[in-house]
Amino acid sequence: MSIRVLVADDQEIVRTGLSIMLNTQPDIEVTGEASDGRQAVELARRLRPDVCLFDVRMPGVDGIEATRLLAGPAVADPLAVVVITTFDLDEYVYAALRAGARGFLLKDAGTELLAQAVRAAANGEALIAPSITTRLLKAFAGTAPAASPPQPIDPLTEREEEVLALVARGRTNSEIAAELFITLSTVKTHITSLMGKLGARNRVEVAIWAYETKRTGL
């Protein structure tokens, strides 16, 4: 079964380029395109794609609001959303993560990384471009609410701290497993435990928490 993707970007040349790159993958199929956020939300609710790929800045309903409407805390059956941006200290990307985005990339990420992000989102994981992780999450962790980040329900283990730091740096599960010399299933177990202890819905929220609490090791 192909991973069905909805692409939304107000620039036709970018939208077409993203669709072409994704359609070259044997396991990915672009099933819809939208030129603005309002159309993207309508199409997503009707088509129920496996992954939505949204530009941050779009006319009318922007990518952040579209993400909140489809993947936010109030959504009973959220869709997987990956935000893609040109990135230039773009404060909207941090807001998109808070709105429920499962990951985000730069528009020059390339076909391989783009496909990896879509596959990760479809599998319930998240892929955050390392360059964005270090330059944006770190920069905008300070824009979070003034209240202190919530403390873990139970203390994190030493291994969980190591996994936490690598998630915050944008590492995939396979990369974490290789770096820590543990199995892929063990990585998944640690991430599940982290999400439970932190009250996080996904890896992105785990990464945000790591930056807010300065637990990235950077």
Side-chain angles (χ1 to χ4, degrees):
M1 295 290 290
S2 293
I3 299 170
R4 298 173 300 112
V5 180
L6 170 65
V7 175
D9 194 296
D10 61 323
Q11 298 182 49
E12 183 178 1
I13 190 170
V14 174
R15 193 168 65 247
T16 300
L18 292 171
S19 296
I20 290 173
M21 286 193 291
L22 291 173
N23 281 328
T24 63
Q25 303 299 303
D27 58 337
I28 298 175
E29 177 187 6
V30 175
T31 57
E33 295 184 17
S35 58
D36 60 60
R38 180 170 287 104
Q39 183 185 22
V41 171
E42 292 173 354
L43 276 176
R45 287 173 172 169
R46 177 161 56 87
L47 300 176
R48 299 296 299 179
D50 300 306
V51 178
C52 298
L53 184 65
F54 289 169
D55 182 25
V56 174
R57 295 181 177 179
M58 293 186 287
V61 175
D62 62 22
I64 297 170
E65 182 60 20
T67 299
R68 184 178 295 109
L69 291 171
L70 296 172
V75 179
D77 188 16
L79 291 171
V81 178
V82 174
V83 169
I84 188 163
T85 177
T86 54
F87 178 71
D88 184 14
L89 286 180
D90 193 342
E91 68 274 16
Y92 295 123
V93 180
Y94 184 86
L97 294 179
R98 282 297 188 190
R102 190 167 286 177
F104 58 92
L105 301 171
L106 299 177
K107 286 185 178 178
D108 62 357
T111 303
E112 183 177 354
L113 191 58
L114 178 63
Q116 286 180 11
V118 167
R119 294 186 185 106
N123 289 329
E125 300 180 7
L127 190 150
I128 308 172
S131 58
I132 299 178
T133 302
T134 55
R135 292 174 59 187
L136 185 129
L137 281 182
K138 186 176 181 179
F140 288 100
T143 66
S148 299
Q151 293 304 304
I153 296 174
D154 295 307
L156 303 187
T157 66
E158 183 177 348
R159 181 62 87 187
E160 286 171 347
E161 291 278 6
E162 293 174 336
V163 172
L164 173 70
L166 292 175
V167 169
R169 293 179 210 169
R171 302 291 198 275
T172 64
N173 284 359
S174 296
E175 290 170 338
I176 294 173
E179 190 160 338
L180 297 181
F181 302 101
I182 56 180
T183 66
L184 193 59
S185 62
T186 300
V187 174
K188 293 179 179 178
T189 297
H190 285 312
I191 291 176
T192 298
S193 178
L194 282 169
M195 289 169 60
K197 289 182 177 181
L198 303 178
R201 294 174 300 167
N202 51 52
R203 296 165 65 100
V204 175
E205 291 187 356
V206 170
I208 292 174
W209 187 88
Y211 271 92
E212 291 177 343
T213 57
K214 305 185 187 306
R215 310 282 267 276
T216 65
L218 296 174

